[in-house]
């Protein structure tokens, strides 16, 4: 029975034709003690929701769920037709492709910049409408109407954001989308994560959810949107819309799409924060699993385009431009910290790491409950409405419990030029202060504001601007402590609901409020220091620490925070707090997005191999029963393999030589199952392709000549035999293309070819020691095929399309009895390891090269098994 844990591998199955199964002698051997220990550990960790890095192992149930995910083909298919294409390709074709990539990166950056501008203005319009209407009701003294309107606004917009996802039937449009981007760039194809419908749903859901007033941010969805735009524009095709422009066929491959998606993710960060360097580093450090120097410069160009266009549109001033993104914060460059303050900065980093780890633990537990309990769309919408009501009740009701403050009591901090820092009055909220503006004399007092409402009942970017403002005495200690706790709780509850949402801005609010709280306490504790301590610096450091605590980002986070706030003089405190927070958080659990990928059972491969791999070999985890194909295989067998298996890779082998059954542990075929003519022919009647021969196929062809009805049904493909010498590997979609193209060879043609002189297929060049340094003009070497073969260009175009199901193919009985030569199309340079190879080294080979399959050979170069990414988890 086939193991569903390894759908990528061509395994034997009881349901499959037993003639296709060629198991190795070790197929029936019991599991090794090491593998038993591995499964024992997996069972123990099943109930553990969060864990430290490298301590999670997927159990059998989780591996079964991975069957819906396929691996991507990042490695090029090094086939004969590909080599022939590369040999005759002109230089201008390569230059055209390279120039086209630069043009596409420019277009990707421009579209992302326009999208960021549109989302920003759409959200601002809805937010202004919300808060201005609520303020109008409050000015009229109608508190109940203001509260009910805010509740209805938040519930309707948040519910609509969820309804968009449900109507479009694209659950991948919810959440931040960062786990899906990381999984794809790691080599996992997540269905529905990067298509056009998800793109539309993500945009609508993001605008509605962020404008609703829920505690969430747009930066995570912007990364996902950038990735989708990069994937769509970079390949200039859409399977959803059935659009496959032929002129862009060179970009229709997983490798190029991966690079465009990485560039799009970086541009999404750059457009959201106005941080082009931070965007590149984010994609390099957090999103991408594979990187190369040429991708760096193209991604830089893409981020440059996105930031330039979004900044130009946002500022509407071409003559005087400033680097701006969706959120703009300013921090004075006049005040520097003291050496003594590095101690509280370190404490802030430790607190950020602790609370970041706590957030990950609580939110992942809540997400696990949601996944198991809230499966219906009614439950998802009801949860969102409930969260919206709770959020509005807290953010609207808490200000009623806090006293109002006087705006004139705010102490502006003088700058170096004698001026004062910009006042914060333009972002102060006067909620519940209209009827309390009394100075004790019975006269109305103007300029009153509510400090807790200025943090809770306001757009997040304005709240952060207040927390980063250098003016003193803006907030009370109680307001800062309450705001930090409320944002932490609401962010934990809101993250994971079925709508587009991000975590960067909410976690920055949590850290900024907590950091400013510590800075305010220190300022009050040392009032005589000149210049006085600046609480806004602590807000910046606290934001950085909290971000690092939950995301475990390091270099990219530091650069993003510096570019976002323009606070280059605070680089050292930010670096210190980020590093401490990351160290503390890693003690307790992994980053938020790693845990989400585990929760969604994405077969993601991290940089480091698991601990148990150190004392195991590849033979302990490989699939030992492998379905192999012959170099020239019958159409009937290929169709049967595709219909009875869900595997995506099949080794192509030579049949074993005659007389090799008994000495390799396999019983010889029964005479009743093998016709007298089934024998290995002399090599002089073979078509020379290394050690490949037509022998076994020609024996089938002779039997076809005795077929009564002529439909090929009586062809005997031979008894079960041991796997032959490995020659290459062919993918499932390649076989589908060949069947769809009907590149068939009849039995009569094979018999005729067997009588002809050998045909070199493929041509090979042998270098002697005396001529090892001699230059050989490979363009003069021609590969001759004895029958028509698909060209690489045509083959690639068909591979890029969505292929029909195997049952949809219309094949006649005569065609089913014909053959396909797999040699021109199979990959002749796959990754190979011996069965004694270290599992740790196999993991690193798989991870660093972006492989989909690793073929395991025995000491005689026969196929002993195969390894896919799920075998390494």
């Amino acid at each position: 029975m086939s193991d569903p844990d390894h759908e990528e591998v061509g395994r034997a199955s009881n349901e499959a034709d037993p003639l296709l199964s060629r198991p190795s002698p070790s197929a029936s051997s019991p599991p090794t003690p090491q593998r038993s220990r591995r499964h024992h550990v997996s069972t123990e960790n099943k109930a553990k929701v969060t864990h430290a890095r490298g301590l999670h192992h997927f159990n059998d149930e989780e591996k079964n769920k991975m069957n819906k995910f396929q691996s991507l083909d990042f490695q090029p298919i090094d086939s004969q037709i590909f080599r022939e294409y590369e040999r005759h390709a002109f230089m201008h074709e390569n230059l055209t492709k390279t120039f086209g990539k630069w043009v596409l990166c420019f277009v990707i950056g421009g579209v992302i910049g326009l999208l960021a501008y549109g989302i920003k203005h759409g959200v601002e319009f809805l937010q202004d409408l919300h808060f201005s209407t609520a303020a109008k009701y409050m000015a009229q003294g109608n508190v109940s109407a203001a509260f009910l309107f805010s509740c209805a606004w938040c519930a309707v917009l948040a519910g609509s954001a969820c309804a968009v996802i449900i109507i479009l039937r694209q659950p991948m449009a919810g959440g931040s989308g960062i786990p899906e981007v990381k999984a794809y760039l790691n080599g996992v194809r997540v269905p529905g994560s990067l298509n056009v419908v998800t793109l539309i749903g993500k945009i609508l859901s993001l605008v509605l959810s962020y404008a609703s007033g829920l505690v969430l941010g747009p930066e995570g969805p912007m990364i996902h949107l950038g990735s989708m735009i990069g994937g769509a524009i970079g390949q200039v095709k859409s399977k959803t819309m059935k659009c496959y422009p032929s002129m862009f066929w060179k970009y229709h491959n997983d490798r190029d799409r991966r690079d465009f998606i990485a560039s799009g993710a970086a541009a999404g960060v750059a457009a959201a924060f106005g941080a082009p360097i931070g965007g590149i580093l984010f994609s390099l450090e957090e999103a991408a699993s594979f990187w190369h120097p040429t991708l760096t410069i193209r991604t830089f160009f893409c981020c440059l385009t996105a930031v330039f266009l979004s900044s130009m549109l946002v500022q509407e001033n071409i003559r005087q431009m400033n680097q701006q993104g969706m959120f703009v914060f300013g921090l004075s460059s006049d005040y520097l910290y003291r050496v003594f303050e590095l101690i509280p900065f370190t404490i802030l980093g430790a607190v950020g790491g602790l609370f970041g780890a706590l957030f990950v633990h609580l939110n992942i537990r809540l997400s696990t409950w949601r996944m198991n309990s809230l499966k219906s769309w009614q439950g998802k919408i009801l949860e969102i409405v409930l969260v919206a009501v709770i959020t509005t009740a807290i953010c609207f009701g808490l200000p009623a419990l806090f006293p109002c403050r006087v705006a004139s009591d705010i102490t502006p901090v003088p700058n170096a030029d004698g001026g004062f820092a910009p006042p914060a009055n333009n972002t102060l909220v006067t909620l519940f202060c209209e009827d309390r503006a009394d100075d004790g004399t019975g006269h109305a007092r103007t300029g009153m504001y509510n400090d807790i409402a200025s943090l809770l009942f306001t757009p997040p970017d304005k709240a952060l601007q207040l927390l980063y403002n250098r003016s003193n005495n803006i907030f009370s200690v109680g307001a800062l402590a309450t705001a930090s706790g409320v944002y932490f709780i609401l962010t934990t509850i809101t993250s994971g609901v079925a709508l587009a949402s991000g975590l960067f801005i909410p976690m920055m609010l949590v850290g900024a409020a907590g950091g400013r709280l510590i800075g305010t306490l220190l300022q009050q504790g040392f009032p005589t220091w000149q210049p006085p301590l600046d609480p806004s610096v602590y807000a910046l450091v606290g934001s950085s620490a909290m971000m690092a605590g939950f995301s475990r980002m390091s270099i990219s986070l530091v650069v993003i925070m510096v570019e976002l706030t323009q606070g280059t003089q605070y680089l050292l405190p930010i670096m210190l707090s980020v590093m401490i927070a990351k160290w503390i958080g890693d003690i307790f659990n992994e980053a938020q997005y790693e845990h989400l990928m585990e929760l969604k059972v994405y077969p993601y491969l991290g940089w480091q191999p698991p601990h148990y791999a150190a004392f195991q070999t590849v033979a302990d985890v490989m699939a030992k029963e492998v379905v192999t194909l012959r170099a020239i295989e019958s159409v009937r067998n290929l169709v049967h393999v595709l219909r009875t298996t869900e595997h995506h890779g099949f080794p192509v082998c030579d049949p074993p030589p005659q007389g090799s059954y008994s000495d390799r542990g396999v019983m010889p075929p029964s005479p009743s199952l093998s016709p007298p003519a089934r024998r290995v022919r002399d090599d002089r009647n073979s078509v020379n392709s290394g050690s490949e021969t037509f022998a076994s196929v020609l024996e089938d062809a002779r039997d076809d000549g005795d077929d009564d009805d002529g439909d090929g049904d009586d062809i005997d493909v031979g008894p079960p035999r041991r796997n032959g010498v490995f020659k290459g590997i062919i993918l499932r979609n390649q076989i589908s293309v060949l069947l769809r193209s009907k590149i068939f060879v009849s039995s009569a043609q094979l018999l005729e070819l067997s009588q002809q002189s050998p045909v070199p297929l493929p041509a090979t060049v042998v270098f002697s020691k005396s001529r090892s340094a001699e230059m050989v003009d490979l363009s003069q070497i021609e590969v001759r095929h004895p029958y028509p073969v698909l060209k690489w260009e045509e083959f690639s175009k068909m591979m890029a399309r969505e292929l029909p199901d195997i049952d949809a193919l219309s094949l006649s009985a005569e065609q089913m009895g014909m053959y396909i030569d797999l040699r021109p199309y199979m990959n002749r340079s796959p990754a190979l390891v011996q069965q004694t190879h270290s599992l740790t080294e196999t993991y690193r080979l798989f991870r660093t090269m972006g492989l989909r399959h690793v073929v395991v050979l025995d000491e005689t170069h026969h196929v002993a098994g195969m390894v896919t990414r799920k075998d390494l988890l």
Side-chain angles (χ1 to χ4, degrees):
M1 184 174 183
S2 64
D3 186 350
D5 296 348
H6 304 87
E7 66 165 3
E8 299 288 341
V9 181
R11 290 179 174 228
S13 171
N14 289 339
E15 300 175 357
D17 188 349
L19 304 180
L20 297 175
S21 176
R22 292 145 194 175
S24 64
S26 60
S28 59
S29 60
T32 61
Q34 291 88 343
R35 191 166 189 177
S36 300
R37 189 185 311 169
R38 172 187 174 189
H39 289 293
H40 177 68
V41 173
S42 301
T43 305
E44 289 180 348
N45 289 340
K46 180 179 180 181
K48 198 169 184 180
V49 178
T50 59
H51 53 82
R53 187 176 301 274
L55 297 182
H56 177 76
H57 307 291
F58 291 100
N59 54 40
D60 292 338
E61 181 182 356
E62 291 172 327
K63 284 192 173 183
N64 288 338
K65 295 179 181 179
M66 293 181 183
N67 290 339
K68 59 184 176 181
F69 305 116
Q70 299 180 21
S71 295
L72 296 165
D73 297 309
F74 288 159
Q75 288 295 316
I77 301 175
D78 186 26
S79 60
Q80 291 180 9
I81 58 175
F82 174 74
R83 294 177 182 180
E84 188 173 356
Y85 171 80
E86 288 291 312
R87 187 178 298 119
H88 294 89
F90 295 100
M91 183 178 295
H92 73 85
E93 296 180 1
N94 296 327
L95 292 176
T96 302
K97 182 178 181 180
T98 302
F99 178 75
K101 288 182 178 181
W102 284 92
V103 174
L104 291 174
C105 284
F106 175 80
V107 176
I108 291 170
V111 172
I112 293 174
L114 289 173
L115 180 63
Y117 172 78
I119 292 176
K120 175 181 174 65
H121 278 264
V123 169
E124 286 181 348
F125 172 79
L126 293 176
Q127 286 177 339
D128 292 342
L129 181 62
H130 172 206
F131 292 111
S132 62
T133 304
K136 186 182 299 182
Y137 283 121
M138 292 297 296
Q140 298 173 358
N142 197 342
V143 178
S144 300
F147 173 73
L148 292 176
F149 170 77
S150 296
C151 276
W153 177 275
C154 186
V156 170
L157 262 66
S160 300
C162 179
V164 167
I165 298 175
I166 294 172
I167 292 173
L168 295 178
R169 298 181 179 179
Q170 293 296 330
M172 295 299 170
S176 66
I178 294 179
E180 286 70 32
V181 175
K182 287 173 66 70
Y184 188 95
L185 295 178
N186 189 256
V188 181
R189 190 189 305 274
V190 182
S193 61
L194 297 172
N195 60 31
V196 176
V197 182
T198 302
L199 174 65
I200 297 173
K202 196 82 171 187
I203 295 174
L204 297 177
S205 181
L206 174 59
V207 173
L208 294 173
S209 62
Y210 189 53
S212 67
L214 291 177
V215 181
L216 47 83
E219 60 296 318
M222 276 301 300
I223 296 171
H224 193 193
L225 289 172
S227 300
M228 288 187 282
I229 292 173
I233 296 178
Q235 289 217 311
V236 202
K237 74 167 187 176
S238 173
K239 289 186 177 181
T240 304
M241 303 176 64
K242 310 296 182 184
C243 178
Y244 308 95
S246 298
M247 63 180 300
F248 298 101
W249 70 271
K250 293 182 181 180
Y251 306 107
H252 297 172
N253 58 82
D254 292 337
R255 188 184 187 90
D256 286 335
R257 193 184 191 210
R258 177 195 69 191
D259 292 346
F260 286 123
I261 288 174
S263 298
V269 176
F273 291 114
I277 306 300
I280 298 173
L281 292 177
F282 173 85
S283 186
L284 173 60
E285 179 185 0
E286 289 296 318
S289 296
F290 308 96
W291 202 265
H292 50 88
T294 55
L295 179 59
T296 303
I297 188 63
R298 286 203 301 266
T299 303
F300 177 79
F301 179 64
C302 186
C303 293
L304 170 66
T305 306
V307 172
F308 172 79
L309 187 57
S310 61
S311 299
M312 183 179 65
L313 293 175
V314 167
Q315 296 177 74
E316 300 177 355
N317 188 348
I318 300 179
R319 287 181 295 179
Q320 294 183 356
M321 288 191 61
N322 190 17
Q323 181 177 319
Q324 293 185 359
M326 293 183 67
F327 304 99
V328 184
F329 312 111
L331 209 62
S332 174
S333 58
D334 303 320
Y335 173 77
L336 296 179
Y337 55 90
R338 300 173 174 86
V339 177
F340 161 77
E341 294 180 80
L342 292 177
I343 297 177
F345 292 156
T346 302
I347 296 175
L348 273 177
V351 172
L354 289 172
F355 276 90
L358 177 62
F359 168 80
V360 171
H361 179 77
L362 296 176
N363 184 255
I364 294 300
R365 282 190 172 273
L366 183 59
S367 299
T368 304
W369 175 82
R370 285 189 179 112
M371 183 173 294
N372 297 329
S373 303
L374 296 178
K375 298 182 179 181
S376 64
W377 64 268
Q378 296 94 335
K380 296 179 185 296
I381 292 183
L382 181 61
E383 181 200 20
I384 289 176
V385 172
L386 181 62
V387 171
V389 172
I390 293 175
T391 301
T392 305
I394 293 176
C395 295
F396 189 92
L398 273 180
L401 305 178
F402 282 74
C404 292
R405 300 171 66 89
V406 183
S408 58
D409 292 342
I410 298 176
T411 306
V413 177
N415 296 326
D417 58 358
F420 291 90
N425 302 55
N426 59 335
T427 54
L428 298 175
V429 178
T430 60
L431 188 66
F432 292 110
C433 293
E434 295 82 359
D435 56 348
R436 296 193 227 172
D438 195 316
D439 58 1
T441 61
H443 301 286
R445 188 174 183 180
T446 59
M448 303 290 289
Y449 74 96
N450 193 310
D451 55 350
I452 188 68
S454 300
L455 293 176
L456 298 180
F457 198 70
T458 189
D461 55 331
K462 293 185 177 180
L464 274 173
Q465 287 176 0
L466 276 176
L467 290 170
Y468 290 158
N469 193 280
R470 295 199 63 220
S471 300
N472 294 321
N473 201 28
I474 302 178
F475 305 103
S476 64
V477 172
L480 291 172
T482 302
S484 182
V486 167
Y487 273 123
F488 182 87
I489 295 173
L490 292 180
T491 303
T492 304
I493 297 174
T494 307
S495 177
V497 296
L499 44 75
S501 61
L503 284 173
F504 286 20
I505 296 300
M507 298 306 285
M508 288 175 66
L509 282 167
V510 175
R516 188 160 187 124
L517 170 63
I518 294 179
T520 301
L521 292 175
L522 290 175
Q523 186 184 54
Q524 295 175 358
F526 302 93
T528 59
W529 282 18
Q530 292 297 328
L533 294 176
D534 191 348
S536 65
V537 178
Y538 290 81
L540 173 63
V541 175
S543 293
S544 305
M546 200 65 201
M547 287 272 289
F550 93 93
S551 68
R552 313 297 156 80
M553 297 164 54
S554 56
I555 301 175
S556 58
L557 175 59
V558 171
V559 175
I560 288 174
M561 293 302 298
V562 169
E563 289 185 295
L564 180 66
T565 61
Q566 301 176 2
T568 55
Q569 72 277 18
Y570 304 113
L571 184 61
L572 179 59
I574 294 175
M575 292 175 63
L576 179 63
S577 63
V578 166
M579 203 69 257
I580 296 296
K582 177 177 173 58
W583 283 342
I584 297 295
D586 284 339
I587 295 175
F588 298 97
N589 47 41
E590 288 191 279
Q592 172 81 0
Y593 302 119
E594 273 69 19
H595 278 301
L596 286 176
M597 286 190 290
E598 292 174 358
L599 187 62
K600 298 176 181 180
V601 293
Y602 295 158
Y604 180 88
L605 297 180
W607 278 112
Q608 295 298 327
H611 298 304
Y612 62 81
F615 49 82
Q616 286 187 318
T617 64
V618 68
D620 296 322
V621 300
M622 69 182 183
K624 297 180 180 179
E625 296 184 0
V626 181
V627 174
T628 62
L629 302 173
R630 291 173 295 187
I632 301 178
E633 191 61 87
S634 67
V635 175
R636 177 181 294 101
N637 284 356
L638 294 175
V639 171
H640 183 77
V641 167
L642 298 188
R643 284 178 176 172
T644 56
T645 67
E646 296 181 354
H647 315 315
H648 292 267
F650 302 93
V652 179
C653 303
D654 272 348
Q658 188 177 16
S660 61
Y661 295 97
S662 59
D663 59 353
R664 290 177 181 168
V666 182
M667 294 300 294
S670 172
S672 61
L673 296 178
S674 180
R678 186 174 300 281
R679 61 184 183 275
V680 179
R681 292 181 55 85
D682 192 276
D683 287 342
R684 64 177 179 270
N685 291 329
S686 64
V687 175
N688 183 14
S689 176
S691 63
E692 296 172 352
T693 68
F694 279 133
S696 60
V697 180
L698 294 178
E699 292 161 5
D700 294 343
R702 287 194 181 87
D703 297 335
D704 188 34
D706 299 331
D707 188 13
D708 296 334
D709 51 9
D711 60 359
D713 291 340
D714 300 332
I715 293 180
D716 182 10
V717 295
R721 70 188 76 181
R722 186 179 186 273
N723 293 333
V725 177
F726 177 77
K727 306 303 296 181
I729 189 171
I730 192 162
L731 302 179
R732 184 185 189 91
N733 54 354
Q734 291 180 277
I735 299 175
S736 299
V737 168
L738 295 176
L739 292 174
R740 182 182 179 185
S741 303
K742 299 182 179 180
I743 306 297
F744 303 151
V745 182
S746 65
S747 304
Q749 289 177 301
L750 290 179
L751 289 172
E752 180 180 355
L753 288 170
S754 66
Q755 305 300 326
Q756 299 176 3
S757 59
V759 179
L761 179 64
T764 56
V765 180
V766 179
F767 297 93
S768 62
K769 292 184 179 180
S770 60
R771 302 183 60 188
S772 58
E774 182 178 348
M775 299 297 295
V776 178
D777 187 4
L778 296 179
S779 63
Q780 302 300 321
I781 302 176
E782 295 184 1
V783 178
R784 293 180 291 163
H785 304 286
Y787 32 76
V789 174
L790 284 176
K791 299 295 184 182
W792 173 251
E793 179 177 349
E794 183 181 359
F795 192 72
S796 298
K797 292 178 182 178
M798 298 183 68
M799 287 271 290
R801 296 176 178 270
E802 186 174 3
L803 299 174
D805 188 76
I806 185 63
D807 294 326
L809 291 176
S810 177
L811 297 175
S812 64
E814 180 182 1
Q815 292 172 333
M816 291 288 286
M818 302 179 76
Y819 298 86
I820 296 181
D821 189 350
L822 304 178
R823 293 173 297 178
Y825 314 100
M826 66 183 183
N827 187 358
R828 291 180 171 269
S829 303
L832 306 173
V833 296
Q834 293 287 334
Q835 57 185 350
T836 57
H837 202 73
S838 165
L839 183 58
T840 299
E841 295 304 318
T842 303
Y843 184 100
R844 290 170 178 165
L845 174 69
F846 206 103
R847 177 62 177 78
T848 55
M849 294 188 64
L851 302 178
R852 186 172 185 177
H853 307 93
V854 172
V855 181
V856 184
L857 304 180
D858 61 14
E859 65 280 0
T860 59
H861 297 284
H862 291 74
V863 177
M866 288 184 67
V867 177
T868 64
R869 64 172 52 238
K870 288 188 285 293
D871 294 308
L872 302 173
L873 295 172

